[in-house]
Amino acid sequence: MNNLRFSLNIDKNTYESFVSSHIMCNLLQSYDWANVKDNWDHLYTGVYEKDKLIASSLVLIRHLPLGFTMFYLPRGPILDFDNKDLLTYFFNELKKVAKKYHCIFIKFDPGIIISSFHLNEEKKYDDYQNQLDNILSLGAIHYGFTQDFHATIQPRYHMVEYKEDFGMDTLSKKGKKNIKTAQKQNLKIKYGHLDLLDDFAAVMKCTEQRKNILLRGKEYYLHLLKTYKENAFITLAYFPIKEMLHDTELRYEKCLEDLKVCPENAKKKRFTLEELKSSLENKISQYSQDLNKYGEEICVAGTLSVKYGNTSEILYAGMNDEFKRLMAPYLTWYKTMEKCFEMGCLTSNMGGIEGDLKGGLVDFKEIFYPRINEFIGEFDLPVNRFLYEISIKVYKKRQDRLNDYFAQK
C-alpha cells in the first residue's frame, strides 16, 4: 500500500497504453469516450505502483440538482479485481475525490465476464465469487444478476463474435441462406468514413421510423467518426436497382425465347419456364417501381463500428425496411465483422440482448455463431449514504429516461 499512488489526470499515452492492452479492454473506458460524452465532466483516474500504472478508470461526472453529482465508471475500473488491497485503495481514494465534487454515489459496472457460451451450449459460470466478495466488501450495492435489458445502464448480456468462431462455415443454416439471398441481389458493400455519413444517417432514419423510436442523429455519428478517426468506419450495402432491372430484363427475354422453342409435350420444362416468366415479371415490376422512386442505386443497410485495442463494437445499425426482402443486414453485418478481424480485432461486440436469450435481436445475431458474454452487473457505492437513499428512489422512478440517456447504443 505504501508504494501505491493515486492519480487524477493520467496522460493520454500512458492511459491508452494500459487500457487498450488490458484483458478488460473496453471502448467505454477508452480515453476518447469522454469526448463522445462531452455533456459530462470527466476524470482520468488511476493507481501507480512506483512508476507503473496498475489500475485506471475513466470517470464520468453527472451534475445533479442542488450542486450534487454522481460518478459513473462505464465498464470500469480497469484493474485486477482479485487484488483486494488494490481495489480497496482505488475506491477509497476515489471516494475522497468524490466528496470534493459533492458526489452522492459512484456507479460502476466492471467488465467482469462471469459466463461465456454459445447459444447451443450448456451455460457454465467462471469462478467470480472472490471478485464479487471483494467489491461488496467496499460497501457497494449490487443490482443483482438482472436479465431485463433495461435494468442496468449497460445490458448484462452481450452477443460477441470471436475471431476463431467467424466464417461462412460456422453460420447457421438460416444465416447461410439469407446471406446467399443477399449475394444474389448483387449488393455492393462499401467501407468508408465521413464520405458515407449521409447515406448512413439516412438508413438510420429509416430504422427510427420503422421502430417508432428516437435514435442518435447525424451530428452524433459525425462526432464518433471524428473522435475515433481511422479506428471508426461505416459499412453500407447498396442495391444497384438499374443494374438488376437490366439483368432481369435480359433474363426475361431469354425466358420468352426458351418458351417459344419449348415442345408442347415437354410439360415439366414448360411449367418451369412459365413459373420463371411469372417470377421475372414480378421482379421487373418491382425494380421499375424502385427505379422510379429511388433512382439507379439505393443504400439499404449499414453499420457504424469502432475498433479499440483488439476489440471492436458495432455501435449502430440500420436498414431500409422497404428492401427487407434483400436480406441486406445479414451480409452487411458479416462484412462488418470480417473488416474488424482484418483490422486485427479478436472480438466484435454485436451489442446487448435480453437475459432470457429470446427476442428479435437474439434471433438475428445468433446466426453468426457468437458467444453470449454475461457480465457481473452494476454496482452503486454510496458516498453520502443519507442522500443516496433519497436519490435512489428518485432514480428508480426515472429509470427508463436515464437508461436512454446513458445508453451507448
Side-chain angles (χ1 to χ4, degrees):
M1 294 287 287
N2 293 332
N3 293 325
L4 301 182
R5 173 172 57 87
F6 189 79
S7 175
L8 282 178
N9 191 23
I10 303 171
D11 69 89
K12 184 172 183 177
N13 288 338
T14 302
Y15 183 94
E16 289 286 77
S17 177
F18 177 76
V19 176
S20 65
S21 61
H22 199 278
I23 192 172
M24 298 176 75
C25 171
N26 192 284
L27 177 66
L28 303 189
Q29 275 294 306
S30 66
Y31 193 93
D32 286 330
W33 193 251
N35 297 326
V36 174
K37 299 299 180 183
D38 56 5
N39 53 345
W40 296 62
D41 286 336
H42 61 271
L43 298 169
Y44 298 107
T45 65
V47 177
Y48 285 88
E49 186 173 42
K50 295 183 178 179
D51 294 326
K52 181 181 179 182
L53 186 65
I54 60 172
S56 71
S57 187
L58 168 64
V59 178
L60 299 176
I61 304 173
R62 169 75 162 145
H63 290 276
L64 303 174
L66 303 178
F68 293 104
T69 67
M70 64 165 284
F71 282 11
Y72 176 44
L73 287 58
R75 289 288 184 251
I78 305 293
L79 52 75
D80 180 3
F81 283 83
D82 283 312
N83 187 335
K84 186 176 181 179
D85 289 342
L86 174 60
L87 180 67
T88 302
Y89 178 79
F90 174 85
F91 274 105
N92 282 347
E93 294 299 309
L94 186 60
K95 284 177 72 175
K96 293 177 184 177
V97 176
K99 290 178 180 178
K100 296 179 181 179
Y101 281 81
H102 306 290
C103 176
I104 297 174
F105 64 100
I106 301 168
K107 181 176 288 290
F108 60 104
D109 53 355
I112 299 172
I113 298 173
I114 64 174
S115 182
S116 182
F117 58 98
H118 292 106
L119 196 60
N120 61 347
E121 297 175 343
E122 180 184 355
K123 183 177 180 180
K124 295 181 180 179
Y125 285 99
D126 296 333
D127 185 8
Y128 62 87
Q129 192 59 51
N130 184 60
Q131 294 173 319
L132 178 59
D133 289 344
N134 287 345
I135 296 172
L136 294 177
S137 72
L138 302 170
I141 299 165
H142 189 207
Y143 274 62
F145 300 107
T146 57
Q147 290 196 334
D148 184 356
F149 189 92
H150 298 291
T152 51
I153 295 175
Q154 302 299 328
R156 275 209 324 119
Y157 291 82
H158 283 249
M159 274 187 158
V160 181
E161 187 76 14
Y162 283 71
K163 185 177 182 179
E164 62 265 28
D165 291 332
F166 179 74
M168 293 297 291
D169 292 341
T170 58
L171 291 172
S172 70
K173 184 177 179 180
K174 174 183 175 182
K176 291 176 182 177
K177 177 183 177 182
N178 289 343
I179 286 182
K180 188 174 182 180
T181 297
Q183 290 172 330
K184 285 182 178 179
Q185 304 301 321
N186 290 341
L187 293 176
K188 301 181 185 302
I189 300 297
K190 297 181 183 180
Y191 303 105
H193 201 254
L194 298 181
D195 53 317
L196 298 183
L197 178 58
D198 286 343
D199 284 347
F200 177 73
V203 85
M204 288 302 297
K205 181 62 69 174
C206 291
T207 299
E208 187 176 78
Q209 294 170 351
R210 172 170 56 91
K211 293 186 176 182
N212 194 28
I213 55 176
L214 185 63
L215 298 173
R216 300 288 191 179
K218 179 181 174 180
E219 289 302 314
Y220 187 80
Y221 307 137
L222 174 65
H223 192 28
L224 276 171
L225 292 169
K226 286 186 174 181
T227 298
Y228 287 100
K229 302 180 176 64
E230 70 276 3
N231 287 318
F233 68 95
I234 290 172
T235 309
L236 296 181
Y238 289 87
F239 180 51
I241 301 172
K242 184 177 180 180
E243 176 185 312
M244 287 298 291
L245 175 58
H246 177 68
D247 291 349
T248 306
E249 287 173 336
L250 292 178
R251 291 180 61 200
Y252 183 68
E253 292 172 6
K254 177 65 166 56
C255 180
L256 292 180
E257 292 174 3
D258 290 343
L259 273 170
K260 285 181 182 179
V261 299
C262 181
E264 290 293 334
N265 60 351
K267 294 183 178 180
K268 186 174 182 180
K269 183 177 181 181
R270 178 167 285 277
F271 176 80
T272 300
L273 287 171
E274 290 287 357
E275 287 284 298
L276 177 60
K277 175 176 174 289
S278 178
S279 174
L280 293 174
E281 286 173 344
N282 289 334
K283 288 182 178 180
I284 289 173
S285 175
Q286 180 65 65
Y287 295 156
S288 297
Q289 292 177 36
D290 293 339
L291 185 64
N292 289 332
K293 185 174 182 179
Y294 294 105
E296 296 184 5
E297 186 178 76
I298 177 69
C299 177
V300 293
T303 62
L304 192 159
S305 309
V306 177
K307 174 185 181 294
Y308 182 64
N310 60 15
T311 71
S312 60
E313 304 265 349
I314 302 176
L315 293 178
Y316 296 97
M319 65 171 286
N320 186 330
D321 199 48
E322 290 192 34
F323 293 89
K324 62 182 179 181
R325 67 185 188 277
L326 306 181
M327 301 298 174
Y330 292 91
L331 183 60
T332 308
W333 281 65
Y334 184 88
K335 287 297 184 179
T336 297
M337 291 186 284
E338 184 178 65
K339 176 75 170 177
C340 290
F341 296 134
E342 288 175 354
M343 292 171 69
C345 297
L346 299 180
T347 61
S348 178
N349 189 347
M350 304 169 73
I353 57 171
E354 294 285 358
D356 61 5
L357 310 184
K358 297 178 182 179
L361 289 175
V362 175
D363 292 342
F364 172 76
K365 296 173 183 178
E366 66 91 15
I367 70 105
F368 298 101
Y369 196 57
R371 297 188 71 85
I372 298 168
N373 287 350
E374 179 185 355
F375 289 88
I376 197 167
E378 192 172 280
F379 298 83
D380 284 350
L381 181 61
V383 178
N384 184 317
R385 176 69 67 169
F386 174 72
L387 291 178
Y388 172 75
E389 296 295 340
I390 297 174
S391 66
I392 202 62
K393 293 178 181 178
V394 176
Y395 177 84
K396 287 179 179 178
K397 289 181 180 179
R398 302 170 58 202
Q399 186 73 43
D400 291 340
R401 187 168 65 173
L402 280 172
N403 278 339
D404 289 341
Y405 183 84
F406 284 130
Q408 79 179 61
K409 57 184 95 102

Short mmCIF file of all heavy atoms in Angstrom, two decimals, residues 351-400:
data_model
loop_
_atom_site.label_atom_id
_atom_site.label_comp_id
_atom_site.label_asym_id
_atom_site.label_seq_id
_atom_site.Cartn_x
_atom_site.Cartn_y
_atom_site.Cartn_z
N GLY A 351 -23.48 -6.24 -29.52
CA GLY A 351 -24.40 -5.46 -28.70
C GLY A 351 -25.19 -6.28 -27.71
O GLY A 351 -25.12 -7.51 -27.67
N GLY A 352 -25.97 -5.57 -26.90
CA GLY A 352 -26.71 -6.20 -25.81
C GLY A 352 -27.95 -6.95 -26.26
O GLY A 352 -28.54 -6.65 -27.32
N ILE A 353 -28.35 -7.91 -25.44
CA ILE A 353 -29.55 -8.70 -25.67
C ILE A 353 -30.26 -8.92 -24.34
O ILE A 353 -29.70 -8.66 -23.27
CB ILE A 353 -29.24 -10.08 -26.30
CG1 ILE A 353 -28.27 -10.86 -25.40
CG2 ILE A 353 -28.68 -9.92 -27.71
CD1 ILE A 353 -28.06 -12.30 -25.81
N GLU A 354 -31.49 -9.41 -24.41
CA GLU A 354 -32.24 -9.74 -23.20
C GLU A 354 -31.62 -10.97 -22.52
O GLU A 354 -31.10 -11.87 -23.19
CB GLU A 354 -33.70 -10.03 -23.53
CG GLU A 354 -34.47 -8.83 -24.06
CD GLU A 354 -34.82 -7.83 -22.96
OE1 GLU A 354 -34.51 -8.08 -21.78
OE2 GLU A 354 -35.43 -6.78 -23.29
N GLY A 355 -31.71 -11.01 -21.21
CA GLY A 355 -31.11 -12.09 -20.45
C GLY A 355 -31.81 -13.43 -20.60
O GLY A 355 -31.22 -14.47 -20.28
N ASP A 356 -33.05 -13.43 -21.08
CA ASP A 356 -33.73 -14.70 -21.30
C ASP A 356 -33.34 -15.33 -22.64
O ASP A 356 -33.83 -16.40 -23.00
CB ASP A 356 -35.26 -14.54 -21.22
CG ASP A 356 -35.81 -13.58 -22.26
OD1 ASP A 356 -35.03 -13.11 -23.13
OD2 ASP A 356 -37.03 -13.30 -22.23
N LEU A 357 -32.45 -14.64 -23.36
CA LEU A 357 -31.89 -15.13 -24.63
C LEU A 357 -32.98 -15.35 -25.68
O LEU A 357 -32.89 -16.26 -26.51
CB LEU A 357 -31.10 -16.43 -24.41
CG LEU A 357 -30.06 -16.39 -23.27
CD1 LEU A 357 -29.28 -17.68 -23.21
CD2 LEU A 357 -29.13 -15.19 -23.44
N LYS A 358 -33.98 -14.49 -25.63
CA LYS A 358 -35.06 -14.57 -26.61
C LYS A 358 -35.28 -13.20 -27.25
O LYS A 358 -34.76 -12.19 -26.76
CB LYS A 358 -36.36 -15.03 -25.94
CG LYS A 358 -36.29 -16.44 -25.35
CD LYS A 358 -37.60 -16.80 -24.66
CE LYS A 358 -37.52 -18.19 -24.03
NZ LYS A 358 -38.78 -18.55 -23.32
N GLY A 359 -36.02 -13.18 -28.34
CA GLY A 359 -36.35 -11.92 -28.97
C GLY A 359 -35.68 -11.74 -30.32
O GLY A 359 -34.82 -12.53 -30.73
N GLY A 360 -36.08 -10.69 -31.02
CA GLY A 360 -35.61 -10.44 -32.37
C GLY A 360 -34.11 -10.23 -32.47
O GLY A 360 -33.47 -10.68 -33.43
N LEU A 361 -33.50 -9.54 -31.48
CA LEU A 361 -32.06 -9.31 -31.51
C LEU A 361 -31.29 -10.61 -31.44
O LEU A 361 -30.31 -10.81 -32.16
CB LEU A 361 -31.65 -8.40 -30.34
CG LEU A 361 -32.06 -6.93 -30.43
CD1 LEU A 361 -31.68 -6.20 -29.16
CD2 LEU A 361 -31.42 -6.26 -31.64
N VAL A 362 -31.74 -11.51 -30.58
CA VAL A 362 -31.08 -12.82 -30.45
C VAL A 362 -31.26 -13.62 -31.73
O VAL A 362 -30.31 -14.23 -32.25
CB VAL A 362 -31.65 -13.60 -29.25
CG1 VAL A 362 -31.05 -15.00 -29.19
CG2 VAL A 362 -31.35 -12.85 -27.95
N ASP A 363 -32.47 -13.63 -32.27
CA ASP A 363 -32.76 -14.40 -33.48
C ASP A 363 -31.87 -13.94 -34.64
O ASP A 363 -31.41 -14.77 -35.43
CB ASP A 363 -34.23 -14.25 -33.88
CG ASP A 363 -35.17 -14.93 -32.89
OD1 ASP A 363 -34.69 -15.78 -32.12
OD2 ASP A 363 -36.36 -14.59 -32.88
N PHE A 364 -31.65 -12.63 -34.74
CA PHE A 364 -30.82 -12.12 -35.83
C PHE A 364 -29.34 -12.44 -35.59
O PHE A 364 -28.65 -12.96 -36.47
CB PHE A 364 -31.01 -10.62 -35.98
CG PHE A 364 -30.05 -9.98 -36.96
CD1 PHE A 364 -30.23 -10.14 -38.31
CD2 PHE A 364 -28.97 -9.24 -36.50
CE1 PHE A 364 -29.33 -9.56 -39.22
CE2 PHE A 364 -28.07 -8.66 -37.39
CZ PHE A 364 -28.26 -8.82 -38.76
N LYS A 365 -28.85 -12.13 -34.40
CA LYS A 365 -27.41 -12.23 -34.14
C LYS A 365 -26.91 -13.67 -34.01
O LYS A 365 -25.74 -13.95 -34.30
CB LYS A 365 -27.07 -11.44 -32.87
CG LYS A 365 -27.32 -9.94 -33.00
CD LYS A 365 -27.13 -9.21 -31.67
CE LYS A 365 -27.45 -7.73 -31.81
NZ LYS A 365 -27.32 -7.00 -30.54
N GLU A 366 -27.77 -14.58 -33.58
CA GLU A 366 -27.31 -15.94 -33.31
C GLU A 366 -26.88 -16.68 -34.57
O GLU A 366 -26.15 -17.66 -34.50
CB GLU A 366 -28.39 -16.73 -32.55
CG GLU A 366 -29.66 -17.00 -33.33
CD GLU A 366 -29.62 -18.33 -34.08
OE1 GLU A 366 -28.73 -19.14 -33.77
OE2 GLU A 366 -30.46 -18.52 -34.97
N ILE A 367 -27.29 -16.19 -35.75
CA ILE A 367 -26.93 -16.90 -36.98
C ILE A 367 -25.43 -16.82 -37.26
O ILE A 367 -24.89 -17.61 -38.04
CB ILE A 367 -27.74 -16.36 -38.18
CG1 ILE A 367 -27.32 -14.93 -38.56
CG2 ILE A 367 -29.23 -16.42 -37.93
CD1 ILE A 367 -26.48 -14.85 -39.79
N PHE A 368 -24.72 -15.87 -36.61
CA PHE A 368 -23.28 -15.70 -36.84
C PHE A 368 -22.43 -16.57 -35.90
O PHE A 368 -21.21 -16.51 -35.95
CB PHE A 368 -22.90 -14.23 -36.68
CG PHE A 368 -23.58 -13.32 -37.66
CD1 PHE A 368 -24.68 -12.57 -37.28
CD2 PHE A 368 -23.14 -13.23 -38.97
CE1 PHE A 368 -25.31 -11.72 -38.18
CE2 PHE A 368 -23.77 -12.38 -39.88
CZ PHE A 368 -24.86 -11.63 -39.48
N TYR A 369 -23.08 -17.33 -35.03
CA TYR A 369 -22.40 -18.20 -34.05
C TYR A 369 -21.55 -17.39 -33.06
O TYR A 369 -20.37 -17.68 -32.81
CB TYR A 369 -21.53 -19.24 -34.76
CG TYR A 369 -21.10 -20.39 -33.87
CD1 TYR A 369 -22.05 -21.18 -33.21
CD2 TYR A 369 -19.76 -20.69 -33.70
CE1 TYR A 369 -21.66 -22.23 -32.40
CE2 TYR A 369 -19.35 -21.75 -32.89
CZ TYR A 369 -20.31 -22.52 -32.24
OH TYR A 369 -19.92 -23.56 -31.44
N PRO A 370 -22.12 -16.36 -32.46
CA PRO A 370 -21.40 -15.58 -31.46
C PRO A 370 -21.43 -16.26 -30.09
O PRO A 370 -22.22 -17.18 -29.86
CB PRO A 370 -22.18 -14.27 -31.42
CG PRO A 370 -23.59 -14.71 -31.67
CD PRO A 370 -23.50 -15.86 -32.65
N ARG A 371 -20.60 -15.78 -29.20
CA ARG A 371 -20.67 -16.19 -27.80
C ARG A 371 -21.57 -15.21 -27.06
O ARG A 371 -21.64 -14.03 -27.43
CB ARG A 371 -19.29 -16.23 -27.15
CG ARG A 371 -18.34 -17.25 -27.79
CD ARG A 371 -17.07 -17.38 -27.00
NE ARG A 371 -17.29 -18.06 -25.73
CZ ARG A 371 -17.29 -19.38 -25.59
NH1 ARG A 371 -17.10 -20.18 -26.63
NH2 ARG A 371 -17.48 -19.92 -24.41
N ILE A 372 -22.22 -15.67 -26.04
CA ILE A 372 -23.01 -14.82 -25.16
C ILE A 372 -22.17 -14.55 -23.93
O ILE A 372 -21.86 -15.47 -23.16
CB ILE A 372 -24.35 -15.47 -24.79
CG1 ILE A 372 -25.18 -15.70 -26.05
CG2 ILE A 372 -25.11 -14.60 -23.79
CD1 ILE A 372 -26.38 -16.60 -25.84
N ASN A 373 -21.78 -13.30 -23.75
CA ASN A 373 -20.98 -12.91 -22.59
C ASN A 373 -21.89 -12.27 -21.55
O ASN A 373 -22.56 -11.28 -21.82
CB ASN A 373 -19.89 -11.93 -22.99
CG ASN A 373 -18.76 -12.60 -23.75
OD1 ASN A 373 -18.70 -13.84 -23.83
ND2 ASN A 373 -17.86 -11.82 -24.31
N GLU A 374 -21.90 -12.87 -20.37
CA GLU A 374 -22.70 -12.36 -19.27
C GLU A 374 -21.78 -11.64 -18.28
O GLU A 374 -20.83 -12.23 -17.75
CB GLU A 374 -23.43 -13.49 -18.54
CG GLU A 374 -24.26 -13.02 -17.36
CD GLU A 374 -24.89 -14.15 -16.57
OE1 GLU A 374 -24.77 -15.31 -17.00
OE2 GLU A 374 -25.50 -13.87 -15.52
N PHE A 375 -22.06 -10.36 -18.04
CA PHE A 375 -21.25 -9.56 -17.13
C PHE A 375 -21.78 -9.63 -15.70
O PHE A 375 -22.94 -9.99 -15.48
CB PHE A 375 -21.21 -8.10 -17.60
CG PHE A 375 -20.40 -7.90 -18.84
CD1 PHE A 375 -20.98 -8.02 -20.10
CD2 PHE A 375 -19.06 -7.58 -18.78
CE1 PHE A 375 -20.25 -7.84 -21.26
CE2 PHE A 375 -18.30 -7.39 -19.92
CZ PHE A 375 -18.90 -7.52 -21.16
N ILE A 376 -20.93 -9.27 -14.76
CA ILE A 376 -21.27 -9.40 -13.35
C ILE A 376 -22.39 -8.45 -12.92
O ILE A 376 -23.11 -8.74 -11.97
CB ILE A 376 -20.01 -9.19 -12.47
CG1 ILE A 376 -20.24 -9.73 -11.05
CG2 ILE A 376 -19.59 -7.72 -12.46
CD1 ILE A 376 -18.96 -9.85 -10.23
N GLY A 377 -22.53 -7.34 -13.62
CA GLY A 377 -23.63 -6.43 -13.31
C GLY A 377 -23.18 -5.09 -12.76
O GLY A 377 -22.00 -4.75 -12.71
N GLU A 378 -24.16 -4.35 -12.31
CA GLU A 378 -23.97 -2.95 -11.92
C GLU A 378 -23.94 -2.80 -10.41
O GLU A 378 -24.64 -3.50 -9.68
CB GLU A 378 -25.11 -2.12 -12.52
CG GLU A 378 -24.94 -0.63 -12.47
CD GLU A 378 -26.05 0.05 -13.27
OE1 GLU A 378 -25.94 0.10 -14.51
OE2 GLU A 378 -27.03 0.49 -12.66
N PHE A 379 -23.12 -1.84 -9.95
CA PHE A 379 -22.97 -1.57 -8.51
C PHE A 379 -23.11 -0.08 -8.24
O PHE A 379 -22.74 0.76 -9.08
CB PHE A 379 -21.60 -2.03 -8.00
CG PHE A 379 -21.33 -3.49 -8.13
CD1 PHE A 379 -20.86 -4.02 -9.33
CD2 PHE A 379 -21.54 -4.35 -7.06
CE1 PHE A 379 -20.59 -5.38 -9.45
CE2 PHE A 379 -21.28 -5.72 -7.17
CZ PHE A 379 -20.81 -6.23 -8.37
N ASP A 380 -23.61 0.24 -7.06
CA ASP A 380 -23.58 1.60 -6.53
C ASP A 380 -22.71 1.60 -5.28
O ASP A 380 -22.87 0.72 -4.42
CB ASP A 380 -24.97 2.10 -6.16
CG ASP A 380 -25.80 2.50 -7.37
OD1 ASP A 380 -25.24 2.57 -8.48
OD2 ASP A 380 -27.02 2.72 -7.21
N LEU A 381 -21.84 2.57 -5.18
CA LEU A 381 -21.04 2.76 -3.97
C LEU A 381 -21.43 4.11 -3.38
O LEU A 381 -21.02 5.17 -3.88
CB LEU A 381 -19.54 2.74 -4.30
CG LEU A 381 -18.60 2.91 -3.12
CD1 LEU A 381 -18.79 1.79 -2.09
CD2 LEU A 381 -17.15 2.96 -3.59
N PRO A 382 -22.26 4.11 -2.33
CA PRO A 382 -22.70 5.37 -1.74
C PRO A 382 -21.52 6.18 -1.19
O PRO A 382 -20.63 5.63 -0.55
CB PRO A 382 -23.64 4.94 -0.61
CG PRO A 382 -24.09 3.56 -1.00
CD PRO A 382 -22.89 2.94 -1.69
N VAL A 383 -21.55 7.47 -1.45
CA VAL A 383 -20.57 8.38 -0.86
C VAL A 383 -21.22 9.16 0.27
O VAL A 383 -20.64 9.35 1.34
CB VAL A 383 -20.02 9.35 -1.93
CG1 VAL A 383 -19.03 10.35 -1.31
CG2 VAL A 383 -19.34 8.56 -3.06
N ASN A 384 -22.45 9.57 0.03
CA ASN A 384 -23.29 10.19 1.06
C ASN A 384 -24.48 9.27 1.27
O ASN A 384 -25.43 9.30 0.49
CB ASN A 384 -23.74 11.58 0.62
CG ASN A 384 -24.52 12.33 1.69
OD1 ASN A 384 -25.38 11.76 2.36
ND2 ASN A 384 -24.23 13.62 1.83
N ARG A 385 -24.42 8.43 2.29
CA ARG A 385 -25.42 7.37 2.48
C ARG A 385 -26.84 7.92 2.61
O ARG A 385 -27.78 7.38 2.02
CB ARG A 385 -25.06 6.54 3.72
CG ARG A 385 -26.06 5.46 4.09
CD ARG A 385 -26.10 4.33 3.09
NE ARG A 385 -24.88 3.56 3.06
CZ ARG A 385 -24.76 2.39 2.42
NH1 ARG A 385 -25.80 1.90 1.74
NH2 ARG A 385 -23.62 1.75 2.41
N PHE A 386 -26.99 9.00 3.35
CA PHE A 386 -28.33 9.56 3.58
C PHE A 386 -28.94 10.05 2.27
O PHE A 386 -30.08 9.72 1.93
CB PHE A 386 -28.26 10.70 4.60
CG PHE A 386 -29.56 11.42 4.80
CD1 PHE A 386 -30.63 10.82 5.48
CD2 PHE A 386 -29.74 12.70 4.28
CE1 PHE A 386 -31.84 11.49 5.64
CE2 PHE A 386 -30.94 13.37 4.44
CZ PHE A 386 -32.00 12.76 5.12
N LEU A 387 -28.17 10.86 1.53
CA LEU A 387 -28.69 11.39 0.28
C LEU A 387 -28.84 10.29 -0.78
O LEU A 387 -29.70 10.39 -1.66
CB LEU A 387 -27.78 12.50 -0.24
CG LEU A 387 -27.77 13.80 0.56
CD1 LEU A 387 -26.79 14.79 -0.04
CD2 LEU A 387 -29.18 14.40 0.61
N TYR A 388 -28.01 9.27 -0.66
CA TYR A 388 -28.12 8.16 -1.61
C TYR A 388 -29.48 7.48 -1.50
O TYR A 388 -30.13 7.18 -2.51
CB TYR A 388 -27.00 7.14 -1.39
CG TYR A 388 -27.17 5.89 -2.22
CD1 TYR A 388 -26.91 5.90 -3.58
CD2 TYR A 388 -27.63 4.70 -1.64
CE1 TYR A 388 -27.08 4.75 -4.35
CE2 TYR A 388 -27.81 3.56 -2.40
CZ TYR A 388 -27.53 3.59 -3.75
OH TYR A 388 -27.72 2.45 -4.51
N GLU A 389 -29.91 7.21 -0.27
CA GLU A 389 -31.19 6.53 -0.07
C GLU A 389 -32.34 7.34 -0.68
O GLU A 389 -33.28 6.77 -1.24
CB GLU A 389 -31.44 6.33 1.43
CG GLU A 389 -30.43 5.43 2.12
CD GLU A 389 -30.47 4.00 1.63
OE1 GLU A 389 -31.51 3.61 1.05
OE2 GLU A 389 -29.47 3.28 1.81
N ILE A 390 -32.23 8.65 -0.59
CA ILE A 390 -33.27 9.50 -1.17
C ILE A 390 -33.17 9.52 -2.70
O ILE A 390 -34.16 9.35 -3.41
CB ILE A 390 -33.17 10.94 -0.62
CG1 ILE A 390 -33.40 10.95 0.89
CG2 ILE A 390 -34.15 11.87 -1.33
CD1 ILE A 390 -33.17 12.30 1.54
N SER A 391 -31.95 9.69 -3.18
CA SER A 391 -31.76 9.86 -4.63
C SER A 391 -32.08 8.58 -5.39
O SER A 391 -32.56 8.64 -6.53
CB SER A 391 -30.32 10.29 -4.92
OG SER A 391 -29.41 9.27 -4.57
N ILE A 392 -31.83 7.42 -4.77
CA ILE A 392 -32.07 6.17 -5.49
C ILE A 392 -33.55 5.95 -5.73
O ILE A 392 -33.95 5.35 -6.73
CB ILE A 392 -31.44 4.96 -4.74
CG1 ILE A 392 -31.20 3.80 -5.70
CG2 ILE A 392 -32.28 4.54 -3.58
CD1 ILE A 392 -30.23 4.11 -6.82
N LYS A 393 -34.37 6.46 -4.84
CA LYS A 393 -35.82 6.35 -5.04
C LYS A 393 -36.23 7.20 -6.25
O LYS A 393 -37.04 6.77 -7.06
CB LYS A 393 -36.56 6.80 -3.79
CG LYS A 393 -36.37 5.88 -2.60
CD LYS A 393 -37.10 6.41 -1.37
CE LYS A 393 -36.88 5.49 -0.16
NZ LYS A 393 -37.56 6.01 1.06
N VAL A 394 -35.66 8.40 -6.34
CA VAL A 394 -35.94 9.26 -7.49
C VAL A 394 -35.39 8.62 -8.76
O VAL A 394 -36.04 8.62 -9.81
CB VAL A 394 -35.33 10.65 -7.28
CG1 VAL A 394 -35.54 11.53 -8.51
CG2 VAL A 394 -35.91 11.30 -6.03
N TYR A 395 -34.21 8.07 -8.64
CA TYR A 395 -33.55 7.44 -9.78
C TYR A 395 -34.39 6.31 -10.35
O TYR A 395 -34.56 6.19 -11.57
CB TYR A 395 -32.17 6.91 -9.36
CG TYR A 395 -31.43 6.18 -10.44
CD1 TYR A 395 -30.67 6.87 -11.38
CD2 TYR A 395 -31.48 4.79 -10.53
CE1 TYR A 395 -29.98 6.20 -12.37
CE2 TYR A 395 -30.80 4.12 -11.52
CZ TYR A 395 -30.04 4.83 -12.44
OH TYR A 395 -29.37 4.16 -13.42
N LYS A 396 -34.94 5.48 -9.50
CA LYS A 396 -35.73 4.35 -9.97
C LYS A 396 -36.98 4.82 -10.70
O LYS A 396 -37.42 4.19 -11.66
CB LYS A 396 -36.09 3.45 -8.79
CG LYS A 396 -34.90 2.64 -8.27
CD LYS A 396 -35.29 1.77 -7.08
CE LYS A 396 -34.10 0.96 -6.60
NZ LYS A 396 -34.44 0.12 -5.41
N LYS A 397 -37.55 5.93 -10.25
CA LYS A 397 -38.74 6.44 -10.90
C LYS A 397 -38.42 6.95 -12.31
O LYS A 397 -39.27 6.95 -13.19
CB LYS A 397 -39.35 7.57 -10.07
CG LYS A 397 -39.99 7.10 -8.77
CD LYS A 397 -40.60 8.29 -8.01
CE LYS A 397 -41.25 7.83 -6.70
NZ LYS A 397 -41.82 8.97 -5.95
N ARG A 398 -37.19 7.38 -12.48
CA ARG A 398 -36.80 7.92 -13.79
C ARG A 398 -35.92 6.95 -14.56
O ARG A 398 -35.23 7.33 -15.51
CB ARG A 398 -36.04 9.23 -13.58
CG ARG A 398 -36.82 10.30 -12.83
CD ARG A 398 -35.92 11.46 -12.46
NE ARG A 398 -35.31 12.06 -13.64
CZ ARG A 398 -34.19 12.78 -13.62
NH1 ARG A 398 -33.56 12.97 -12.48
NH2 ARG A 398 -33.70 13.29 -14.71
N GLN A 399 -35.96 5.68 -14.21
CA GLN A 399 -35.02 4.69 -14.76
C GLN A 399 -35.05 4.64 -16.29
O GLN A 399 -34.00 4.64 -16.94
CB GLN A 399 -35.35 3.30 -14.21
CG GLN A 399 -34.37 2.20 -14.60
CD GLN A 399 -33.06 2.32 -13.86
OE1 GLN A 399 -33.05 2.57 -12.67
NE2 GLN A 399 -31.96 2.16 -14.56
N ASP A 400 -36.21 4.58 -16.87
CA ASP A 400 -36.31 4.45 -18.31
C ASP A 400 -35.66 5.62 -19.03
O ASP A 400 -34.90 5.45 -19.99
CB ASP A 400 -37.77 4.32 -18.76
CG ASP A 400 -38.37 3.00 -18.33
OD1 ASP A 400 -37.60 2.07 -18.05
OD2 ASP A 400 -39.61 2.91 -18.27
#
